[in-house]
Amino acid sequence: MTGATGVTGATDGPGAGNGLLEGQVALITGASGGLGRGIALRFAAAGAAVAVHFRTNAEAAGEVVTRIADSGGRAVALRADLTVESECHRLVREAADWGGGVLTALVNNAGVQPVQELPGMTVADWRAVADTNVSSVFACTQAAAEWKGGPGGGVRSITHIASIEATHPAPHHAHYSAAKAAVVMHARSAALEYGPYGIRVNTVSPGLIDREGLAQAWPEGVRRWQQAVPTGRLGRPEDVGDACVFLASPMASWITGHDLVVDGGISARPTW
Ligand SMILES: NC(=O)c1ccc[n+]([C@@H]2O[C@H](COP(=O)([O-])OP(=O)(O)OC[C@H]3O[C@@H](n4cnc5c(N)ncnc54)[C@H](OP(=O)(O)O)[C@@H]3O)[C@@H](O)[C@H]2O)c1
């Protein structure tokens, strides 16, 4: 099956229809974008009802909802600007209300990836990335973890989408790399503090994920990646989605505070 991103296997293929998330209600932030769409479709394929969050792209979110409904699943599109703390809390409440008082999983995926050199970067530029990529993760996590579900309805797993750039910075991405490193450390801290309440918090760190037009927009980057990565290809949104499904599932019930790298093996390469 080919999705709007041109990437295959979003609702079929390995891992689909596995029932791993049967009975769960999941909120996926940034599900109008490339990765979020793949994560939402994989959660639905694993049996979860999915709240598909977007900020501006209602059309893309609606397409994800339709695709899930057409496959026999349950989904709703919910709007929020996650740089606003009250919107993070409202979004979590709306998702839980839609789930009938049940919200069991949150994936903090929404984020921006601007490219900018350090010389000339302003504090406002820095803050814009930190607000979207880190403060929103803090606020959504707090809202979800401290939301009181009905019996059996509370949040059990929270997964942040970080990046391999949290540990291997790329040029002109200082604000982004620093934000992703903060997200990894937030998850480890949250794992410590929310663990006693039965809530697991992890990160998934993707490598370069394919999207429509990427090879045309950045041919030299894609070529370098394909030459360097041991598995010989770019990542697909569903590669990340499957990792998130696993972390939200009972199979990961003793995994928390972990960073799961999903990068086709590129981080295993010697750097010298
Ligand atoms: N693509 C990669 O190769 C890659 C690799 C590693 C990590 N990641 C991470 O994966 C995540 C998704 O990346 P992507 O490539 O899928 O990006 P994308 O296609 O640009 O999607 C970004 C998503 O974030 C939402 N968003 C942006 N600012 C927001 C805000 N202020 N409030 C609420 N939502 C906001 C967007 O919503 P609207 O469009 O509806 O406004 C969209 O749904 C990001 O955290 C990114 O850092 C990506």
Side-chain angles (χ1 to χ4, degrees), residues 30 32-35 55-57 81-82 109 113 176 180 207 209:
S32 50
L35 259 73
R55 181 190 51 163
T56 54
N57 199 342
D81 180 347
L82 301 182
N109 162 77
Q113 307 162 70
Y176 179 81
K180 291 302 186 182
I209 305 300

Side-chain angles (χ1 to χ4, degrees), residues 20-147:
L20 274 178
L21 303 184
E22 217 54 68
Q24 292 215 32
V25 179
L27 168 60
I28 316 296
T29 71
S32 50
L35 259 73
R37 175 181 191 280
I39 297 167
L41 292 176
R42 298 308 267 181
F43 266 65
V50 183
V52 174
H53 158 262
F54 70 100
R55 181 190 51 163
T56 54
N57 199 342
E59 192 184 338
E63 192 263 340
V64 176
V65 168
T66 302
R67 180 105 177 254
I68 291 172
D70 286 350
S71 312
R74 244 186 102 221
V76 66
L78 298 175
R79 200 203 70 79
D81 180 347
L82 301 182
T83 59
V84 181
E85 186 179 7
S86 59
E87 298 244 324
C88 297
H89 286 263
R90 177 184 55 76
L91 174 67
V92 165
R93 265 197 320 275
E94 284 183 5
D97 286 348
W98 172 77
V102 177
L103 180 67
T104 56
L106 166 68
V107 179
N108 287 306
N109 162 77
V112 288
Q113 307 162 70
V115 175
Q116 192 175 6
E117 294 181 2
L118 273 175
M121 188 184 287
T122 65
V123 169
D125 296 329
W126 184 274
R127 279 199 186 124
V129 173
D131 282 353
T132 311
N133 291 10
V134 187
S135 302
S136 71
V137 169
F138 158 77
C140 287
T141 298
Q142 188 176 56
E146 298 178 25
W147 167 78

